[in-house]
């Protein structure tokens, strides 16, 4: 983060942890991450960075928000993730900035893979859609497997923040 005050860093990270944990709990319960959580969070984190660091802080937050959107946009376009998951990753980017997103994405991917494997292991095997006469009539949205990725985003985000708080640098391409 561009500012040097450790207290502000801890407050922003604690706020982000609260947002992603709340969104994950809501996602696991309802299958949705509401805009009433993501949009105000993006605005709050962008405003906090602007207040703490001025225009560079605002640009830091907006770059992270844009990159966070792009990380999960392709899986969303293919129908594997909901738009709320994409927006939640944008919230993470707005809070932590562009430099932290690779680490968050890697931890999130590990958590998401573990979540999917656990889901596949514990769920009964689906019937073959080619076998049932009425299965072809189901809308694609009902047939497609969608991941409730909010929990993975929360675990990955908190893990990445703990990684950084332990003294390790975020992984970065730049």
């Amino acid at each position: 983060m561009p500012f040097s005050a450790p207290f502000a860093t801890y407050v922003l990270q604690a706020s982000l942890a609260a947002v992603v944990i709340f969104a994950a709990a809501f996602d696991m319960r309802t299958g949705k991450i509401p805009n009433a959580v993501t949009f105000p969070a993006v605005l709050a984190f962008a405003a906090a960075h602007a207040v703490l660091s001025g225009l560079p802080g605002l640009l830091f937050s907006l770059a992270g928000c844009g990159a966070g959107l792009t990380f999960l946009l392709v899986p969303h376009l293919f129908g594997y993730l909901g738009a709320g998951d994409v927006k939640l990753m944008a919230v993470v980017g707005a809070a932590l900035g562009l430099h932290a997103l690779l680490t968050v994405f890697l931890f999130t991917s590990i958590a998401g893979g573990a979540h999917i494997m656990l889901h596949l292991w514990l769920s009964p095997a689906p019937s073959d859609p080619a076998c049932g006469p009425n299965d072809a009539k189901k809308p694609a949205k009902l047939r497609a497997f969608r991941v409730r990725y909010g929990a993975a985003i929360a675990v990955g985000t908190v893990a990445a923040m703990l990684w950084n708080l332990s003294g390790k640098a975020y992984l970065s391409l730049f």
Side-chain angles (χ1 to χ4, degrees):
M1 297 186 183
F3 47 86
S4 61
F7 180 73
T9 301
Y10 296 144
V11 169
L12 283 175
Q13 289 185 348
S15 300
L16 178 60
V19 168
V20 296
I21 290 169
F22 175 79
F26 200 89
D27 187 28
M28 294 306 290
R29 199 169 16 125
T30 66
K32 297 199 178 285
I33 298 173
N35 291 339
V37 172
T38 56
F39 289 147
V42 166
L43 292 175
F45 288 122
H49 282 290
V51 166
L52 293 169
S53 301
L55 183 60
L58 179 64
L59 295 176
F60 169 86
S61 184
L62 293 178
C65 180
L69 276 172
T70 60
F71 269 123
L72 297 181
L73 190 59
V74 172
H76 168 66
L77 293 176
F78 282 104
Y80 295 112
L81 298 176
D85 300 320
V86 178
K87 291 179 276 188
L88 187 59
M89 188 59 88
V91 170
V92 173
L96 297 179
L98 181 62
H99 70 284
L101 279 178
L102 181 60
T103 307
V104 171
F105 185 68
L106 289 174
F107 280 119
T108 297
S109 297
I110 292 167
H115 179 210
I116 291 170
M117 293 303 291
L118 186 64
H119 173 77
L120 291 174
W121 184 52
L122 295 176
S123 297
S127 61
D128 186 7
C131 294
N134 294 329
D135 286 341
K137 296 177 186 175
K138 288 183 183 176
K141 196 168 196 166
L142 293 177
R143 285 183 279 143
F145 174 70
R146 284 189 97 164
V147 179
R148 291 186 181 178
Y149 211 60
I153 294 171
V155 169
T157 300
V158 171
M161 289 188 300
L162 291 173
W163 171 276
N164 187 253
L165 289 173
S166 72
K168 297 179 177 101
Y170 287 121
L171 306 173
S172 181
L173 295 176
F174 319 106

